[in-house]
Amino acid sequence: MTKDNYLDIAKIAIKAMDSKRGEDIEVIKVSDITVLTDYFVIATANSNTQLKAMADEVEYKLSEAGYEPHHIEGERSEWVCLDYIGTVIHILLKQQRGFYQIERLWEDGEKVDIDDIIVKD
């Protein structure tokens, strides 16, 4: 898989989460500051039901595109992490996102402009 695939994975995940009304979706390119992954995609869900729906939709849409997760963590919790090696997708309930502030941990990364991917109301 190439680095272009990692950005494609992020874009597909963004569209999937946006279709389920995910909020505050952000993408941070971290390939220059860590070997863990190339991109973090972070989104907020307003309920456990929405969180599960978003995670399921991401997994479904990525599988449709030929991408399978390396690992999934927290499927029955308040924070789901879908690891696609070069792209790691975090979906958190609002309270957990505020508490963990993942964006602040990776603030040295490069925020990716996703305005052309998100559907505006």
Side-chain angles (χ1 to χ4, degrees):
M1 199 173 320
T2 68
K3 294 201 180 270
D4 288 340
N5 293 115
Y6 301 146
L7 187 54
D8 288 341
I9 289 169
K11 289 178 179 180
I12 292 167
I14 292 162
K15 288 178 182 177
M17 291 184 293
D18 189 43
S19 75
K20 296 297 180 186
R21 299 275 193 202
E23 296 181 359
D24 302 322
I25 302 171
E26 289 189 45
V27 178
I28 304 169
K29 181 180 176 195
V30 294
S31 57
D32 296 336
I33 58 173
T34 185
V35 296
L36 295 174
T37 191
D38 285 3
Y39 295 95
F40 281 121
V41 180
I42 308 162
T44 301
N46 290 306
S47 68
N48 289 86
T49 304
Q50 183 188 23
L51 186 139
K52 181 171 178 7
M54 289 169 62
D56 288 348
E57 186 71 2
V58 167
E59 194 175 354
Y60 174 73
K61 290 296 186 182
L62 284 169
S63 182
E64 254 188 349
Y67 301 111
E68 297 302 326
H70 171 68
H71 186 74
I72 299 174
E73 191 67 43
E75 288 186 277
R76 289 183 173 76
S77 72
E78 299 166 337
W79 178 355
V80 174
C81 178
L82 301 120
D83 181 355
Y84 286 84
I85 309 290
T87 305
V88 177
I89 302 151
H90 298 277
I91 307 170
L92 301 94
L93 290 180
K94 195 171 286 196
Q95 183 177 349
Q96 279 63 33
R97 183 149 180 195
F99 180 79
Y100 290 105
Q101 298 182 9
I102 299 171
E103 302 91 318
R104 287 196 53 219
L105 294 173
W106 299 102
E107 65 189 355
D108 290 340
E110 176 187 333
K111 284 188 86 174
V112 177
D113 182 7
I114 59 170
D115 286 344
D116 60 331
I117 303 169
I118 301 277
V119 176
K120 302 288 185 237
D121 286 334

